[in-house]
Amino acid sequence: MNNHEKLNYVEFPAANLTATKAFFSQVFNWQFTDYGPDYTAFSGQELNGGFYQSPLKSSTEEGGALLVFYSTDIHATQRKVILYGGKVIKPIFEFPGGCRFHFTEPSGNEFAVWAEKH
């Protein structure tokens, strides 16, 4: 559903569209629609978006926005991230109200996963 003046879509660069699509399909069960060889879109998430072919990447170190996933089992999610080719760049750490870790996907974009404290 499109809501007036609400965030609706996000786009990321991807040096390797095939590896990025495989990673998000395997770890987060994303579905993709290709629009030519240089663009793929994902939908069915709380925020839809896409990846465009580019040698660039998004990281907080370079001032990029950080998109954060929620998990009910952060350790299981971290294992899947590693198993399918992601790299943990900040191991699980606590913050008020929860814990999280940061990772990069195969094209080098940084994301995070958080969970509530148990």
Side-chain angles (χ1 to χ4, degrees):
M1 181 165 65
N2 297 321
N3 293 312
H4 179 65
E5 297 181 345
K6 301 296 180 196
L7 287 175
N8 181 259
Y9 203 82
V10 62
E11 293 186 327
F12 295 95
N16 186 332
L17 285 171
T18 301
T20 292
K21 284 172 39 179
F23 174 82
F24 283 102
S25 294
Q26 293 165 321
V27 177
F28 297 106
N29 200 29
W30 285 11
Q31 304 292 317
F32 289 91
T33 302
D34 293 336
Y35 294 97
D38 295 330
Y39 193 87
T40 190
F42 59 87
S43 60
Q45 305 304 307
E46 291 193 17
L47 178 65
N48 296 329
F51 292 92
Y52 56 92
Q53 186 68 47
S54 173
L56 303 173
K57 62 184 176 187
S58 178
S59 71
T60 57
E61 190 174 278
E62 299 292 323
L66 180 65
L67 274 73
V68 183
F69 293 88
Y70 176 75
S71 175
T72 58
D73 186 341
I74 196 166
H75 296 284
T77 302
Q78 181 177 260
R79 285 191 298 271
K80 286 195 313 183
V81 164
I82 294 166
L83 177 66
Y84 292 111
K87 293 185 176 120
V88 173
I89 58 172
K90 289 185 184 175
I92 295 173
F93 62 94
E94 292 191 9
F95 63 90
C99 59
R100 75 182 197 194
F101 71 92
H102 293 215
F103 69 93
T104 57
E105 50 86 24
S107 286
N109 294 302
E110 181 181 353
F111 294 87
V113 176
W114 85 280
E116 296 173 85
K117 283 189 180 179
H118 297 289

